[in-house]
């Protein structure tokens, strides 16, 4: 493709594209998945979280004084048996306790005294930089530092969890309980999270939170709608094992760990529906204590509520807001915009001083510069001041009430036109542009569901935005253990907060990654960062401001007196000029003006004050300051027109002169939801990593259960748990061996190979890595087993580390079968890169329904294939006419877990495919991202503004990469994601 021609005057798109970087923040170096076997992960003890057995003290009072009699009752009980009356009094006293929420299993947990969680190790699978992809689309060079890649020396890189590196946000695939505990205990993030937003299952339907396919949000009750991710199913089955009892235990465990992560100034928000809000609030009381409750917020989820066949439609969901330490809580006030036609601001005032009630007709015809205001009482119930006040030829008093301001102050306010007459009273003018908007309260109306949702359960971003802005500052850390479509991360990125989010679903992680990767945001100005292409929002954002002018700032502002004296003197002279001109108006002209007034009155029904002053010119009296016309009639005498126009110019000058000292006394208020926008700049997501939980590598050796990452902190009290684990693992492996022995492997085109013999190795005490060995049917092996077999974990993917260990342990075999329910992309690339001439490796998916965790969910299909061999992405790497490299995705083998088949699919049927144009062998870095099914990059392309930029992104809809130059490592990697979120990866060297 020839170089793009840029229009003259265009700012280069790269120079209009920025992202936020948190330069002052660090994170712990965790292992890239492909390097996990090259270093050692430090051992940490299992995390314990204590249950509090104490109830919060509650003031109780009995007017009958019964509690006072209990001491006498106790004394009598030590001397002899109690009477029936005394026994009844004792029973009543025992019932006088504060109620607590109980559920099946809670008592056992309380008796144990603690919750124990394994803080698993995390691995980085991918580094993502939207700005790097924009550069690639525009044919710009891509530097590694765009990914926040620390690029550590090898000796330092393999010292996992021991060094601080530059911050990058984090998207993690894994169980939230283990991941949060890992962040707190392995990475020292305890006490460093400012806000946690949780949108857990609402506790109503089992399947309502499943989305098995990235492209289909409709979730039904058929077998096809059940996800085939055992770890996700296990998570939800644990949540529902005993119905709402398990649900409450599930939430309580996560609240305990969340509390540890929160900063002392931090907050947690839990989103829930009316079905379970009462239970979850009591649960939060149990974990955080009632004194840490901040607010219960109701927000609308649609204009009319959800349809229901019973009673009333439900319009609201709820947010439960709790804090870590009430005395240190960080909580900012947010405002709602006051509309011009609201009930409060019902008056308007033109620049000439005309005041009227606001109507739709007025608003459509009002001149530029018109201000809107509300009228407020200047009296109060008392005590205050009592006096009579003369103004505009009338006398006013406070009636049965009291003046709220001294007489001189009221006089100053009237002179400054900050008060006016309404009927028989004097009231204050409170201008809309000098008043802060209405404070946000705990009823958030006018909201609906998320716009253009991509996930089955997706929260309106406005809800998360308000929580985030109320409780955090730019640069602070936000965490969401219920990622879903990534709304919390999206809002955090939008407003310059750091974020960590996690989910057990690969589909959710894929959708969140796509949403964040292709998002564009307004670029908010960072303090002191002019021209910086990667500013640090932790320095603070600049906000639009509003002012709050109080009545006392005008009425008690003596600095206004000099200005008032000066301008009133000028206006007195102008008034005299108007009256001299008025005396020259003939009776015929006055009659003509009155006729105009009569005609206008018949037409409109009533004359406005402006009409009366214009046409009902005084005859026997003169103009007063409060009767001078606001505008002129073209049929007036020229002298009168000139005099009145001069008067109104002076009036406007007086108002403008007063506005300066009044504004100087106004209190400035930051509008935290309205940062100052830098125009002409497109901001994209900052760098983030896609991570996963490293599953515990367990196998059975001669000493029984063998943990591949032994923990020196384990004590005798864990022996029973380890024994149970050993029993479960052995049962799982025995089942897998039995099934592969009877079914064999199914290859593409339904070709099947069966085993003549399969022998388990774990029962022989030698299976620390390999699980079994076998011989194919029809092969004369001379008595030797030529096939090694290894199974992935029951919950979790086959990892790169496990692949490497299996390959090393299979030296005496000619073939290796690696069977798992899912595979890390790094694991598949290692299989494809393996080039040992004497060892052929088969990567096989295990049919989901044979996983014990899926029992009862899926229909049993005993005659279908159980172990299906999966191929690799088919890619072509070539040079173009300019000598640059191009990668084309030809196709990929897609495993369909519903039909339990592998089909070779065209490249356009994948959910996405990514390219690392200079793969360093450590961690995949996405330099080009393709979504063949739809135009995911449209928003960024349009935001960049040039038609040439739009064309540059069209390549990211296809199956052929943008041309690129070979990088330092002379190697590329391609990652392909299927519609169920499964990933495979291929690596190729750039040769020639």
């Amino acid at each position: 493709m020839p170089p793009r021609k840029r229009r003259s005057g265009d700012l280069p798109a790269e120079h209009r594209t920025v992202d936020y970087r948190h330069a002052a923040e660090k994170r712990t170096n965790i292992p890239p998945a492909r390097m996990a076997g090259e270093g050692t992960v430090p051992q940490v003890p299992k995390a314990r979280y204590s249950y509090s057995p104490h109830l919060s003290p509650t003031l109780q009072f009995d007017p009958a004084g019964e509690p006072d009699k209990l001491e006498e009752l106790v004394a009598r009980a030590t001397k002899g048996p109690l009477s029936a009356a005394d026994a009844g009094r004792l029973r009543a006293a025992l019932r006088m306790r504060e109620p607590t929420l109980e559920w099946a299993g809670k008592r056992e947990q309380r008796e144990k005294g603690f919750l124990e969680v394994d803080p698993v190790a995390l691995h980085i699978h991918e580094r993502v930089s939207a700005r790097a992809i924009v550069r690639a689309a525009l044919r710009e060079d891509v530097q590694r530092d765009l990914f926040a890649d620390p690029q550590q020396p090898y000796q330092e890189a393999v010292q996992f969890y021991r060094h601080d590196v530059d911050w990058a946000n984090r998207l993690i695939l894994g169980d939230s309980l283990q991941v949060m505990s890992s962040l707190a205990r392995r990475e020292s993030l305890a006490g460093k999270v400012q806000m946690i937003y949780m949108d857990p299952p609402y506790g109503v339907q089992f399947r309502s939170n499943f989305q098995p396919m990235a492209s289909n949000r409709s979730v039904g009750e058929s077998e096809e709608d059940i996800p085939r991710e055992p770890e996700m199913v296990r998570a939800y089955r644990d949540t529902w094992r005993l119905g709402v009892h398990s649900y409450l235990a599930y939430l309580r465990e996560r609240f305990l760990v969340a509390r540890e992560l929160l900063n002392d100034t931090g907050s947690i928000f839990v989103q829930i529906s009316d079905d379970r809000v009462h239970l979850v609030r009591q649960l939060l009381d149990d974990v955080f204590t009632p004194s840490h409750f901040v607010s219960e917020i109701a927000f609308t989820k649609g204009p009319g509520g959800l349809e229901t066949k019973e009673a009333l439609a439900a319009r609201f969901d709820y947010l439960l807001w709790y804090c870590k330490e009430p005395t240190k809580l960080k909580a900012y006030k947010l405002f709602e915009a006051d509309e011009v036609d609201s009930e409060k601001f019902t008056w308007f005032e033109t620049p000439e001083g005309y005041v009227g009630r606001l109507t739709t007709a007025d608003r459509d015809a009002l001149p530029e510069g018109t201000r809107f205001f509300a009228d407020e009482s200047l009296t109060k119930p008392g005590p205050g001041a009592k006096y009579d006040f003369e103004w505009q030829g009338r006398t006013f008093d406070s009636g049965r009430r009291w003046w709220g301001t001294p007489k001189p102050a009221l006089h100053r306010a009237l002179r400054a036109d900050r008060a006016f007459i309404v009927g028989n009273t004097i009231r204050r003018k409170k201008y809309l542009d000098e008043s802060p908007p209405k404070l946000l309260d705990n009823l958030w109306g006018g909201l609906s569901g998320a716009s253009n949702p991509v996930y089955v359960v997706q929260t309106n971003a406005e809800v998360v935005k308000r929580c985030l802005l109320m409780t955090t500052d730019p640069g602070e850390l936000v965490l969401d253990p219920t990622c879903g479509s990534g709304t919390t991360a999206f809002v955090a990125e939008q407003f310059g907060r750091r974020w960590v989010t996690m989910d057990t679903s690969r589909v959710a992680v894929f959708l969140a990654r796509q949403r964040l990767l292709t998002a564009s945001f307004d670029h908010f100005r960072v303090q002191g960062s002019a021209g910086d292409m990667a500013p640090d929002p932790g320095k603070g954002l600049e906000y639009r401001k509003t002012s709050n002018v109080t009545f006392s700032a005008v009425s008690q502002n003596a600095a206004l007196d000099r200005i008032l004296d000066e301008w009133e003197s000028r206006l007195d002279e102008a008034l005299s000029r108007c009256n001299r001109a008025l005396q020259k108006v003939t009776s015929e002209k006055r009659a003509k003006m009155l006729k105009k007034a009569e005609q206008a009155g018949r037409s409109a029904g009533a004359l406005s004050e402006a009409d009366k002053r214009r046409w009902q010119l005084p005859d026997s009296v003169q103009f007063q300051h409060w009767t001078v016309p606001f505008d002129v009639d073209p049929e007036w005498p020229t002298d009168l027109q000139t005099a009145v126009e001069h008067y109104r110019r002076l009036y406007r000058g007086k108002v403008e002169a007063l506005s300066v000292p009044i504004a100087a006394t106004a209190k400035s208020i930051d509008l935290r939801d309205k940062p100052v926008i830098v125009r002409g700049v497109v901001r994209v997501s900052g760098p983030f990593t896609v991570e996963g939980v490293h599953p515990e590598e367990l196998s059975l050796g001669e000493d029984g259960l063998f943990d591949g990452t032994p923990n020196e902190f384990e004590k005798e009290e864990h022996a029973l748990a380890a024994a149970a684990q050993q029993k479960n693992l052995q049962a799982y492996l025995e089942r897998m061996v039995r099934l592969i022995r009877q079914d064999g492997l199914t290859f593409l085109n339904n070709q099947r190979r069966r085993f003549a013999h399969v022998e388990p190795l774990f029962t022989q005490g030698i299976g620390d890595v390999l699980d079994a060995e076998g011989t194919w049917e029809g092969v004369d092996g001379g008595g030797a087993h030529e096939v090694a077999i290894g199974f992935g974990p029951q919950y979790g993917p086959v990892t790169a580390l496990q692949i490497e260990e299996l390959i090393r342990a299979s030296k005496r075999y000619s073939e290796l079968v690696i069977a798992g329910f899912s595979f890390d992309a790094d694991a598949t690339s290692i299989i494809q890169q393996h080039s040992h001439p004497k060892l052929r490796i088969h990567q096989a998916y295990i049919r989901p329904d044979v996983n014990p965790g899926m029992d009862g969910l899926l229909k049993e299909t005993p005659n279908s294939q159980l172990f299906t061999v999966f191929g690799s992405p088919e890619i072509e790497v070539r040079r173009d006419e300019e000598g640059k490299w191009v990668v084309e995705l030809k196709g990929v083998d897609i495993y369909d877990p519903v039909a339990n088949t592998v089909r070779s699919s065209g490249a356009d049927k994948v959910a996405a495919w990514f390219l690392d144009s200079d793969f360093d062998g450590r961690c995949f870095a996405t330099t080009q991202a393709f979504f063949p099914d739809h135009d995911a990059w449209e928003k960024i392309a349009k935001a960049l503004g040039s038609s040439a930029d739009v064309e540059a992104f069209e390549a990211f809809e296809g199956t052929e990469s943008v041309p690129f130059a070979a990088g330092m490592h002379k190697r590329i990697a391609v990652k392909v994601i299927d519609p169920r979120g499964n990933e495979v990866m291929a690596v190729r060297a750039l040769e020639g």
Side-chain angles (χ1 to χ4, degrees), residues 230-231 234 728-729 732 791-796 821 850-854:
E231 54 270 59
R234 178 180 66 165
N728 291 338
L729 177 61
Y732 165 67
F791 298 106
Q794 181 178 349
Y795 301 108
F821 294 101
V850 304
N851 191 307
M854 303 288 284

Side-chain angles (χ1 to χ4, degrees), residues 934-968:
H934 59 285
D935 187 5
W937 292 101
E938 181 179 7
K939 289 183 179 179
I940 290 182
K942 288 184 177 179
L944 287 171
S946 165
S947 61
D949 297 331
V950 174
E951 293 171 5
F953 282 92
E954 288 179 354
F956 289 158
E957 301 176 41
T959 59
E960 185 175 307
S961 76
V962 172
F964 60 93
M968 178 177 64

Side-chain angles (χ1 to χ4, degrees), residues 658-785:
L658 290 171
S659 66
V660 176
I662 291 174
T665 64
K667 181 181 179 182
S668 180
I669 301 173
D670 287 341
L671 298 176
R672 292 178 57 82
D673 60 336
K674 295 180 175 62
V676 175
I677 298 174
V678 180
R679 302 295 178 184
V681 178
V682 178
R683 181 164 60 88
V684 295
S685 293
F688 63 93
T689 54
V690 181
E691 305 172 20
V693 170
H694 180 63
E696 195 174 19
E697 300 291 351
L698 295 175
S699 57
L700 292 166
E702 58 185 351
D703 296 324
L705 187 69
F706 174 77
D707 184 346
T709 54
N711 196 327
E712 63 189 45
F713 302 97
E714 303 291 344
K715 297 181 180 180
E716 293 181 3
E717 60 210 46
H718 299 106
L720 290 176
Q725 237 178 338
Q726 176 179 350
K727 183 178 179 181
N728 291 338
L729 177 61
Q730 181 160 348
Y732 165 67
L733 291 176
E734 287 175 349
R735 184 176 189 177
M736 292 301 104
V737 169
R738 174 174 54 83
L739 292 174
I740 202 169
R741 182 188 291 139
Q742 75 182 32
D743 196 71
L745 294 186
T746 302
F747 294 83
L748 277 175
N749 300 319
N750 208 32
Q751 300 298 312
R752 180 176 294 193
R753 294 189 71 183
R754 298 184 181 276
F755 289 99
H757 305 282
V758 175
E759 299 297 332
L761 297 179
F762 55 87
T763 59
Q764 303 173 28
I766 57 174
D768 58 340
V769 176
L770 293 173
D771 297 313
E773 59 182 11
T775 303
W776 295 116
E777 284 184 350
V779 176
D780 183 9
H785 292 89

Side-chain angles (χ1 to χ4, degrees), residues 28-299:
T28 303
N29 72 314
I30 64 175
R34 291 177 69 95
M35 296 184 69
E38 301 176 35
T40 302
V41 174
Q43 299 170 11
V44 297
K46 288 189 176 181
R48 284 190 174 184
Y49 301 89
S50 298
Y51 298 119
S52 173
H54 306 290
L55 295 175
S56 301
T58 301
L59 181 63
Q60 297 180 355
F61 175 71
D62 180 9
E66 288 297 324
D68 297 335
K69 302 175 184 177
L70 294 179
E71 291 295 330
E72 300 175 6
L73 189 151
V74 172
R76 289 200 300 274
T78 60
K79 298 177 181 178
L82 295 176
S83 66
D86 288 339
R89 188 176 294 116
L90 181 59
R91 281 192 294 270
L94 290 175
R95 286 196 298 268
M96 291 283 291
R97 298 192 305 165
E98 184 72 10
T100 59
L101 185 65
E102 289 286 340
W103 63 83
K106 181 180 179 181
R107 189 179 304 276
E108 291 80 1
Q109 292 173 343
R110 188 165 57 241
E111 290 173 355
K112 183 179 180 181
F114 58 86
L115 164 70
E116 195 169 61
V117 182
D118 184 11
V120 295
L122 302 176
H123 289 173
I124 297 177
H125 292 277
E126 186 179 338
R127 292 188 177 275
V128 181
S129 167
R131 195 163 150 224
I133 296 172
V134 171
R135 290 188 65 111
L138 303 175
R139 315 303 197 265
E140 306 280 353
D141 292 335
V142 176
Q143 292 84 25
R144 200 76 181 183
D145 59 2
L146 292 173
F147 297 89
D149 187 345
Q151 302 181 68
Q152 297 168 285
Y154 179 80
Q155 290 301 113
E156 182 179 303
V158 295
Q159 295 174 347
F160 307 137
Y161 287 95
R162 287 182 171 86
H163 300 280
D164 288 335
V165 297
D166 290 342
W167 178 266
N169 294 316
R170 309 174 68 172
L171 174 60
I172 304 171
L173 175 65
D175 179 75
S176 58
L177 183 65
Q178 292 183 320
V179 173
M180 287 194 294
S181 182
S182 176
L183 296 174
R185 300 301 175 94
R186 285 188 179 272
E187 302 185 37
S188 302
L189 284 182
K192 296 182 180 179
V193 176
Q194 184 59 31
M195 186 194 88
I196 296 176
Y197 191 95
M198 290 185 67
D199 181 12
Y202 279 3
V204 182
Q205 298 178 23
F206 174 62
R207 296 181 178 179
S208 63
N209 300 279
F210 288 151
Q211 183 169 331
M213 302 282 285
S215 57
N216 185 10
R217 288 193 308 109
S218 61
V219 178
E221 294 294 320
S222 67
E223 184 175 316
E224 288 74 15
D225 293 316
I226 299 176
R228 266 59 178 181
E229 302 173 58
E231 54 270 59
M232 183 182 180
V233 171
R234 178 180 66 165
Y236 281 96
R237 271 209 150 156
D238 287 349
T239 308
W240 290 106
R241 185 176 59 255
L242 298 175
V244 71
H245 301 277
S246 299
Y247 175 72
L248 294 173
Y250 163 91
L251 290 179
R252 187 193 195 200
E253 291 171 351
R254 282 147 184 83
F255 292 161
L256 284 168
V257 185
R259 184 181 62 185
E260 180 184 33
L261 285 167
L262 278 178
N263 188 299
D264 284 349
T265 62
S267 298
I268 181 173
F269 294 88
V270 181
Q271 179 179 328
I272 201 70
S273 70
D274 53 359
D275 296 277
R276 298 284 182 246
V277 64
H278 59 298
L279 297 177
V280 176
R281 179 165 176 177
Q282 290 183 56
L283 192 60
L284 286 161
D285 280 346
D286 189 58
V287 174
F288 285 88
T289 73
S291 63
H292 292 63
F293 169 76
V294 180
S295 182
E296 181 172 327
I297 301 165
F299 63 92

